[in-house]
């Protein structure tokens, strides 16, 4: 999403401009089709230590019966340890709606916050999942475990 550009520009303003131009040139197909973007421009702009950190990240983290992923799990594919990396990064069409355990899954990516009566974004929670992605509403959300306490930033307006 466009929220990435301040981060990209913090490494290289010229790379941010070139990626933004590539997205604009693709128009609606950037959303409606699987399109190729020149992400290597950004990767090449990263310091070696930052790239090594990012490349060393695992696709999930487990503590006891809780799994932390970026995008979700495939409800019908068994334990997270046997699931495809792409599934864990991006989720599936039937996640989180059709997921019924056994693990509790903490995820982001879906931009599916629940707005309270004041328009404040709260995590989407079910018996088996909690979605922490509230950034499109200008709020960062974290989950403190084992207490289960929700921590949120002040609202940032871009």
């Amino acid at each position: 999403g466009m929220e990435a550009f301040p981060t990209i520009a913090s490494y290289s303003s010229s790379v941010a401009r070139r990626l933004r131009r590539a997205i604009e040139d693709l128009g609606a197909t950037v959303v409606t089709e699987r399109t190729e973007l020149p992400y290597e421009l950004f990767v090449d702009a990263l310091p070696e230590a930052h790239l090594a950190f990012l490349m060393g990240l695992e696709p999930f983290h487990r503590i006891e019966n809780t799994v932390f992923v970026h995008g979700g799990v495939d409800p019908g594919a068994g334990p997270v340890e046997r699931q495809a990396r792409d599934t864990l990064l991006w989720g599936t069409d039937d996640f989180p709606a059709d997921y019924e355990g056994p693990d509790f899954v903490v995820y982001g990516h879906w931009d599916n916050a629940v707005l309270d009566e004041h328009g404040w974004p709260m995590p989407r929670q079910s018996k088996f999942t909690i979605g922490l992605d509230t950034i499109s509403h200008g709020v960062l959300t974290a989950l403190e475990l084992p207490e289960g306490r929700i921590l949120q930033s002040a609202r940032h307006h871009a």
Side-chain angles (χ1 to χ4, degrees), residues 73-87:
V73 298
D74 181 339
V80 66
E81 289 81 3
R82 293 202 308 253
Q83 297 207 14
R85 181 181 189 88
D86 273 4
T87 298

Side-chain angles (χ1 to χ4, degrees), residues 27-89:
T29 63
V30 79
V31 176
T32 61
E33 300 172 21
R34 281 198 179 270
T35 56
E36 291 291 321
L37 288 171
Y39 290 118
E40 67 279 357
L41 296 172
F42 177 62
V43 173
D44 291 346
L46 288 172
E48 192 61 41
H50 294 204
L51 184 59
F53 169 76
L54 293 170
M55 296 302 289
L57 292 173
E58 295 295 329
F60 71 92
H61 179 73
R62 171 187 287 286
I63 56 170
E64 298 171 8
N65 295 325
T66 302
V67 172
F68 303 83
V69 293
H70 175 73
V73 298
D74 181 339
V80 66
E81 289 81 3
R82 293 202 308 253
Q83 297 207 14
R85 181 181 189 88
D86 273 4
T87 298
L88 303 176
L89 292 176

Side-chain angles (χ1 to χ4, degrees), residues 42-136:
F42 177 62
V43 173
D44 291 346
L46 288 172
E48 192 61 41
H50 294 204
L51 184 59
F53 169 76
L54 293 170
M55 296 302 289
L57 292 173
E58 295 295 329
F60 71 92
H61 179 73
R62 171 187 287 286
I63 56 170
E64 298 171 8
N65 295 325
T66 302
V67 172
F68 303 83
V69 293
H70 175 73
V73 298
D74 181 339
V80 66
E81 289 81 3
R82 293 202 308 253
Q83 297 207 14
R85 181 181 189 88
D86 273 4
T87 298
L88 303 176
L89 292 176
W90 309 118
T92 61
D93 290 343
D94 49 1
F95 180 87
D98 294 345
Y99 180 72
E100 297 181 349
D103 293 314
F104 186 76
V105 177
V106 180
Y107 67 95
H109 175 66
W110 283 93
D111 190 20
N112 61 356
V114 177
L115 301 182
D116 72 11
E117 65 274 10
H118 306 290
W120 187 263
M122 296 300 295
R124 180 164 300 269
Q125 298 185 58
S126 76
K127 181 177 177 186
F128 299 103
T129 67
I130 184 167
L132 301 180
D133 185 359
T134 56
I135 197 61
S136 71

